[in-house]
Amino acid sequence: MPTTTTATAAEPEEEPEPEPKSPERLAYLDAVRQLNSYQMHEPTTGRAQTKSSRGGDKTEPNIEHTLQCLSETGFDKSQLERIPVIQVAGTKGRGSTCLLVEAILLSHGIKTGVLCAPHLFVTSERIRIEGEPLADEVFTELFVQLQQDLGHVQPPPSYNKLLTIMAFHAFRNANVDVAIVEIGSGCASDCTNITSHARTIGISTLGWEQSFHLSNSMRDIAWAKAAIMKPEASIYTSANQPECFEVLSQRAKQLGVQLHRVPAYPSYVEANFSDKKLLNSANYSVKLNGSLAIQLAYDYMRRYKPAYVVGLEHNATQLTPGATRGLETFVQRGQFEIMKYDMFNVYMDSADTLESMMMCREWFYTRTRGSRSPKVLLFSKVNEFNSKDLLTILRHNMRFEEAGFVPSPSLFEGESLDADGEQQDKATKDAIAWHSMEELQRARRNASNWRSLCEEDGTRDSAQLSISIESFFDYLHNKYGNQRYGMRNELDVLVTGSRELIAGTISWLQKKKDAQFKKWH
């Protein structure tokens, strides 16, 4: 049976009094609560279409309704078409690719807007202007105005439709040069696909996802993603499976557009000798998604800012100074992120699919194979879909001395939800308590999955069930923290499985680091 631990820190620290929230912050939090209520209007989770069931010139109802709502807010299609758009579809790496394109274009002095999902800490991360999430006041003002404009619309817009409409209002108000839009899992029928005028389109890595039937082949998935292609657009893809590229090529040929398979990342290392060290040491997300982002940024600049990319044709591997700066300054929280605190080297990645978990395991293995420190896993998942498969991938060629399983933290806009909170009504407290119990049972089942995998290959049961992130790190500190022969143990801890777990871990680590800083200063 997995061992259960509770928070038993040797010297519990007093929690500092939280700073009072400003009126602007309180208004923002209220706006987010109201926005979250629109999730009830999201379409029932179904299966992505793998064959088109509609005529080629007909607008999908989901998109038609989004455009209608946009029009009701005083934003007509001619205004929409005046905003140049880069679209990024695919299965994995869409968000990272959008943020990499943003970093590259910002380094060229181009004013960007980004719409991407999901967020890690706060909802306003989903809409970015010039590399920063919308300010609380701007987000609140936009939401309140749009809520008034759309109050009479039936059926009401869903959560994602509202965010899409808010994003394009923010882009117009900020007078951005380009909007970089991550297309949702619905792909061509997704509400984010309202810009039929997009001329730069990327299709990232393809793989199986929950919106597809188990019987769907990779060819089916590629066909569904290929539906994002538009006439007169430049199409780039990093999909590397031969059958996927064949399907994407067929769709491109039907539309009369050219499909470009982007160069492999090492091609840029070879072509830019002076930047070799930088490129080799780049963030792992850059190595996975950088090539697609570079080509999308270059294509946009060839159309709108040609002076920046003189002589650079499709799939050019020469880096402009701006592209180099963009790759160098790129940061994405919660993706292949490393934080150091006390005895812990904490490696964090929010992988939750088979393909992304393979990348996560490879990254952790590569970064720690030269280290003699014990390896530790901390895992949590907000649903049990494919959990055992993900754990199986993590165990491949890896030996974890400890495998911790915790409930996914309950967070709201980067803050922990406490069932004992004084400002919450009884219904909210009950809901939080119920959610906490449900997550604890899920953590117990994940620990059981790990135990069964240990039994299958005849290894020691290393599962450790803890009630919280802090409790698990306390357990590790108590077990491994004693100094031996004047040397202190260090642990390499991989944290993965869900965004909620990553957000909770980053928040806890940052709080500890801040407290340590105040203690010594």
Side-chain angles (χ1 to χ4, degrees):
M1 292 289 292
T3 309
T4 304
T5 64
T6 55
T8 56
E11 297 180 8
E13 300 174 4
E14 289 186 11
E15 288 289 332
E17 286 291 324
E19 295 182 6
K21 296 181 175 65
S22 67
E24 293 80 11
R25 182 64 178 173
L26 290 171
Y28 166 79
L29 294 174
D30 184 58
V32 172
R33 289 187 189 96
Q34 293 183 60
L35 173 63
N36 288 346
S37 70
Y38 284 82
Q39 291 177 357
M40 66 185 291
H41 302 301
E42 286 293 334
T44 303
T45 302
R47 298 298 182 183
Q49 292 182 349
T50 53
K51 302 294 180 187
S52 177
S53 59
R54 301 179 61 82
D57 296 328
K58 292 185 179 179
T59 305
E60 287 281 351
N62 201 31
I63 296 173
E64 195 170 1
H65 186 238
T66 309
L67 288 170
Q68 177 199 343
C69 291
L70 192 64
S71 177
E72 292 287 342
T73 64
F75 200 132
D76 61 40
K77 198 164 184 181
S78 64
Q79 293 174 302
L80 185 66
E81 290 174 349
R82 286 200 286 270
I83 303 175
V85 173
I86 299 171
Q87 292 185 327
V88 182
T91 304
K92 293 304 299 179
R94 289 171 296 175
S96 298
T97 302
C98 287
L99 297 184
L100 276 162
V101 174
E102 174 193 60
I104 293 168
L105 293 181
L106 283 173
S107 293
H108 285 88
I110 295 168
K111 191 171 186 178
T112 60
V114 175
L115 170 62
C116 60
H119 60 273
L120 184 63
F121 295 110
V122 293
T123 305
S124 57
E125 294 171 18
R126 294 174 179 241
I127 304 173
R128 298 163 60 90
I129 303 294
E130 291 196 278
E132 296 293 334
L134 279 189
D136 288 355
E137 310 92 279
V138 176
F139 187 98
T140 304
E141 185 179 339
L142 260 180
F143 174 76
V144 171
Q145 183 59 55
L146 297 184
Q147 193 179 38
Q148 291 174 358
D149 293 342
L150 298 172
H152 66 285
V153 173
Q154 292 297 328
S158 65
Y159 176 87
N160 284 313
K161 286 178 184 175
L162 261 178
L163 279 170
T164 301
I165 295 165
M166 286 177 66
F168 278 95
H169 273 275
F171 299 159
R172 183 185 65 178
N173 295 347
N175 195 28
V176 300
D177 295 319
V178 59
I180 306 161
V181 178
E182 176 184 349
I183 301 300
S185 58
C187 206
S189 61
D190 197 87
C191 66
T192 53
N193 185 32
I194 57 173
T195 52
S196 57
H197 65 284
R199 292 294 176 264
T200 301
I201 298 175
I203 300 175
S204 67
T205 306
L206 298 182
W208 197 87
E209 54 188 288
Q210 281 181 269
S211 58
F212 290 95
H213 286 291
L214 286 169
S215 59
N216 288 142
S217 66
M218 289 303 300
R219 296 180 68 88
D220 294 328
I221 293 169
W223 184 261
K225 300 301 181 182
I228 196 66
M229 295 183 187
K230 297 170 177 62
E232 300 179 40
S234 299
I235 317 294
Y236 296 85
T237 185
S238 55
N240 52 18
Q241 303 97 324
E243 66 273 27
C244 292
F245 189 74
E246 181 185 346
V247 170
L248 296 176
S249 297
Q250 289 173 355
R251 177 59 176 162
K253 188 175 181 180
Q254 288 176 2
L255 287 175
V257 297
Q258 190 173 358
L259 175 68
H260 306 277
R261 177 186 274 171
V262 299
Y265 184 78
S267 302
Y268 298 91
V269 180
E270 296 171 6
N272 299 272
F273 184 78
S274 60
D275 297 318
K276 186 174 183 178
K277 184 177 180 180
L278 166 68
L279 294 171
N280 280 327
S281 61
N283 180 290
Y284 204 68
S285 284
V286 173
K287 295 179 180 180
L288 292 176
N289 307 299
S291 182
L292 179 58
I294 291 165
Q295 298 308 323
L296 293 176
Y298 282 3
D299 187 78
Y300 164 80
M301 288 189 283
R302 273 192 293 269
R303 293 173 183 274
Y304 297 95
K305 308 283 184 179
Y308 293 140
V309 285
V310 174
L312 297 181
E313 300 300 326
H314 295 290
N315 281 347
T317 54
Q318 180 185 344
L319 294 180
T320 64
T324 303
R325 282 195 303 274
L327 298 180
E328 184 178 14
T329 58
F330 171 75
V331 175
Q332 184 179 16
R333 300 304 307 269
Q335 299 282 336
F336 305 112
E337 181 172 357
I338 304 172
M339 290 182 73
K340 167 77 175 172
Y341 168 68
D342 195 43
M343 61 184 285
F344 305 111
N345 304 311
V346 187
Y347 298 77
M348 294 172 286
D349 184 59
S350 56
D352 62 356
T353 68
L354 301 183
E355 290 82 6
S356 61
M357 191 58 79
M358 290 177 189
M359 296 297 181
C360 173
R361 192 208 67 84
E362 181 185 346
W363 167 68
F364 181 67
Y365 172 77
T366 303
R367 292 301 300 255
T368 62
R369 62 185 173 186
S371 166
R372 293 187 177 183
S373 300
K375 307 296 183 287
V376 176
L377 172 66
L378 178 57
F379 182 90
S380 180
K381 204 166 185 303
V382 293
N383 59 57
E384 291 166 74
F385 170 74
N386 75 6
S387 287
K388 191 170 183 179
D389 292 334
L390 297 181
L391 293 173
T392 301
I393 290 169
L394 285 168
R395 291 172 64 89
H396 180 66
N397 285 343
M398 288 294 304
R399 180 189 173 190
F400 290 102
E401 295 296 327
E402 308 280 351
F405 298 90
V406 297
S408 284
S410 297
L411 302 171
F412 176 68
E413 297 304 293
E415 299 178 5
S416 177
L417 287 174
D418 186 354
D420 297 325
E422 295 179 1
Q423 298 180 345
Q424 293 158 354
D425 57 31
K426 184 178 184 300
T428 302
K429 291 181 180 180
D430 289 346
I432 295 171
W434 176 262
H435 178 266
S436 298
M437 288 190 292
E438 187 178 37
E439 287 299 323
L440 182 59
Q441 291 304 315
R442 183 171 289 120
R444 195 184 302 276
R445 288 190 289 271
N446 285 331
S448 179
N449 284 333
W450 184 267
R451 186 177 72 246
S452 67
L453 290 171
C454 291
E455 291 173 354
E456 288 171 15
D457 58 20
T459 56
R460 177 179 65 88
D461 176 12
S462 54
Q464 187 74 29
L465 180 66
S466 297
I467 62 171
S468 68
I469 294 166
E470 182 174 14
S471 155
F472 181 66
F473 278 98
D474 284 344
Y475 160 77
L476 294 176
H477 195 280
N478 290 337
K479 183 171 181 178
Y480 295 93
N482 295 326
Q483 293 185 0
R484 291 184 297 179
Y485 310 112
M487 298 179 63
R488 185 165 193 177
N489 288 327
E490 287 196 351
L491 297 178
D492 294 329
V493 184
L494 174 61
V495 183
T496 189
S498 71
R499 285 179 297 105
E500 292 79 1
L501 176 63
I502 300 301
T505 303
I506 292 175
S507 297
W508 180 79
L509 288 170
Q510 195 59 55
K511 184 169 66 173
K512 289 291 185 182
K513 289 167 75 75
D514 290 346
Q516 191 177 59
F517 180 82
K518 289 178 182 177
K519 181 179 179 181
W520 295 105
H521 292 80

